[in-house]
Amino acid sequence: MIKGTFPIDKFKGLKTPFYYYNIELLRETLETVNSLISKYGYHQHYAIKANANPYILRIIAESGFGADCVSGGEVQAALDAGFPVGRIVFAGVGKADWEINLGLDNDIACFNVESLAELRVINELAADKGKTATIALRVNPNVDAHTHAKITTGLQENKFGINIGMLPGVFEELPKLKNVCFTGIHFHIGSQITDMSAFRDLCIRFNELQDNLEASGITLENANFGGGLGIDYYHPNHIPMPDFENYFASFHKLIKQRPGQQIHFELGRSIVAQCGSLISKVLYVKEGEVKKFAILDAGFTELIRPAMYDAYHHMENITNDGTIEIYDVVGPICESSDVFGKDVKLNEVRRNDLIAFRSAGAYGEVMASQYNCRSLPKAWFSDQL
Ligand SMILES: *Cc1c(COP(=O)(O)O)cnc(C)c1O
């Protein structure tokens, strides 16, 4: 079995479970994206929610990314990590007043507004401060992302964004809202998208919308296509990076970019997923009547994706090279959904072996919880061990 490279000796004595980040891979991924971004003259943001570890955030900020936030806490995390305030954008269907005020006080680049009700509140709060808020409208393009139902966001029945049919009403009211300044359109159609036709559909929808808006005298200074690019959870060793080249080239080919118009992207998972692994220790090997269970010290409290999204994570026994056997891999949490995988092939598992969950850098550590009074996992970094 081909396995990832881990500094096993340095793992000795570290309290499990913990997250381990390959910082070299993170930097390589950032460089790849940055070179394509500058080739096309686009603007890149990192979606903080994928992984908000302060050290990871600092590295991404230093590499030249802006930040995409979906809460006031994330706006604060972006500021603390050194993302330039002029490149922080703020989306989310339920922005509380304090969160909007935090954005206004810091003069963030853009509020991506998800309803007319929110637009009115931002206008009011900006007026109270004698400010003008820069806004874009998050549009729901009714595009099927062909991904898991729990991470699809761009269909008409989703809570996100403003449906295209309701835009005329918003544009009618906009001129009356004196403390907001409209600059463009924002989309985000879902996550872990591997079918590029979803992005093609998005580009087509954008071009139509742009033509229609221009016909009524509305021009778009900014167009933001969100994130969603998927990664290969099955082959983390062979495909450590998604095909960024093809991704940006497809947009470049399809979108009708107007002169001077800024094109933005907000990548989350595709930046951080492959550089992170959850490292867990085997507590027991339990022989059932028909199955063998590998019982780990990590559960859905450390990595919730399998329980929440039926997600697959490649697992490796990084301690032992013995014969391949079949296990149900489970955690210690008192919930029957605390199962990482059924009939998983692993090199023979013994008590105290370390099991690595690959591709866990996105929506892993950041979604950890303290359920069952557990403590949050610690993170270690390849350049600091
Ligand atoms: C989550 C999110 C992203 C990033 O999505 P990924 O699938 O992780 O790339 C980008 N934009 C917005 C508004 C989001 O909510």
Side-chain angles (χ1 to χ4, degrees):
M1 250 195 177
I2 296 161
K3 298 183 191 180
T5 40
F6 293 99
I8 310 280
D9 288 344
K10 292 178 178 163
F11 285 177
K12 290 201 175 98
L14 299 183
K15 181 176 178 285
T16 55
F18 62 86
Y19 272 88
Y20 172 74
Y21 294 101
N22 178 341
I23 297 301
E24 291 72 34
L25 177 59
L26 173 62
R27 289 190 195 279
E28 236 176 273
T29 307
L30 292 168
E31 275 165 31
T32 304
V33 172
N34 281 331
S35 73
L36 289 163
I37 282 285
S38 56
K39 173 174 162 188
Y40 294 119
Y42 294 157
H43 297 262
Q44 78 285 43
H45 303 261
Y46 167 67
I48 304 278
K49 77 172 187 287
N51 187 320
N53 182 292
Y55 185 59
I56 302 274
L57 289 189
R58 238 179 306 134
I59 291 170
I60 297 173
E62 278 165 14
S63 86
F65 274 61
D68 161 50
C69 306
V70 292
S71 72
E74 286 192 0
V75 170
Q76 192 58 55
L79 292 167
D80 295 347
F83 285 94
V85 74
R87 301 196 50 209
I88 294 177
V89 299
F90 183 9
V93 285
K95 299 179 188 77
D97 291 14
W98 76 264
E99 295 177 303
I100 294 168
N101 282 327
L102 181 68
L104 290 170
D105 289 340
N106 287 285
D107 299 313
I108 61 165
C110 193
F111 291 88
N112 292 326
V113 176
E114 308 222 10
S115 65
L116 183 53
E118 178 193 334
L119 190 61
R120 291 177 184 141
V121 170
I122 292 178
N123 182 64
E124 249 174 61
L125 295 176
D128 290 347
K129 293 179 185 294
K131 290 195 170 195
T132 304
T134 304
I135 64 115
L137 296 176
R138 176 166 178 179
V139 174
N140 183 339
N142 198 22
V143 165
D144 190 348
H146 305 291
T147 185
H148 191 278
K150 284 189 185 156
I151 47 177
T152 296
T153 56
L155 283 173
Q156 229 146 33
E157 72 251 31
N158 293 127
K159 69 177 177 178
F160 297 99
I162 301 168
N163 289 337
I164 289 183
M166 302 186 68
L167 282 176
V170 178
F171 282 113
E172 204 175 305
E173 185 156 337
L174 255 175
K176 293 176 216 147
L177 304 174
K178 301 293 180 201
N179 293 79
V180 296
C181 171
F182 170 83
T183 62
I185 293 290
H186 171 242
F187 304 97
H188 174 65
I189 57 171
S191 201
Q192 186 51 20
I193 298 169
T194 50
D195 179 354
M196 293 303 284
S197 72
F199 293 121
R200 282 199 292 276
D201 290 350
L202 174 61
C203 291
I204 292 164
R205 211 52 64 87
F206 166 73
N207 291 335
E208 287 168 0
L209 179 60
Q210 174 162 259
D211 286 345
N212 288 340
L213 292 176
E214 284 174 355
S216 23
I218 298 158
T219 54
L220 304 176
E221 249 174 74
N222 285 296
N224 183 335
F225 292 90
L229 178 61
I231 62 130
D232 192 332
Y233 281 95
Y234 290 88
H235 306 99
N237 297 312
H238 292 108
I239 310 183
M241 248 185 249
D243 192 348
F244 289 116
E245 190 136 9
N246 179 36
Y247 172 75
F248 288 115
S250 309
F251 280 96
H252 182 72
K253 197 171 112 198
L254 287 170
I255 47 185
K256 293 186 189 150
Q257 184 179 6
R258 302 300 192 222
Q261 186 175 55
Q262 288 191 4
I263 304 292
H264 299 256
F265 293 91
E266 303 167 333
L267 300 170
R269 184 191 313 267
S270 55
I271 302 296
V272 290
Q274 295 290 32
C275 78
S277 295
L278 171 65
I279 309 294
S280 171
K281 192 177 275 183
V282 177
L283 296 175
Y284 302 100
V285 179
K286 177 168 152 179
E287 307 264 354
E289 274 172 3
V290 284
K291 281 185 175 258
K292 267 191 294 198
F293 295 91
I295 302 174
L296 308 185
D297 65 359
F300 70 50
T301 41
E302 286 72 40
L303 181 62
I304 202 172
R305 299 189 65 259
M308 186 144 114
Y309 312 118
D310 309 310
Y312 171 84
H313 282 270
H314 183 66
M315 293 169 232
E316 294 169 353
N317 182 343
I318 59 173
T319 310
N320 184 12
D321 276 326
T323 52
I324 299 287
E325 298 189 18
I326 311 269
Y327 301 89
D328 278 13
V329 180
V330 304
I333 309 300
C334 293
E335 297 282 343
S336 15
S337 61
D338 191 31
V339 174
F340 288 116
K342 294 194 166 165
D343 301 320
V344 179
K345 286 185 186 141
L346 288 168
N347 294 101
E348 186 196 1
V349 169
R350 308 158 307 186
R351 175 169 161 84
N352 290 333
D353 282 354
L354 294 180
I355 305 293
F357 289 86
R358 304 294 305 281
S359 318
Y363 308 106
E365 185 188 355
V366 77
M367 286 181 125
S369 77
Q370 294 186 302
Y371 184 49
N372 282 192
C373 290
R374 289 165 64 83
S375 23
L376 293 173
K378 219 174 129 77
W380 299 92
F381 308 94
S382 59
D383 60 343
Q384 291 183 2
L385 264 181

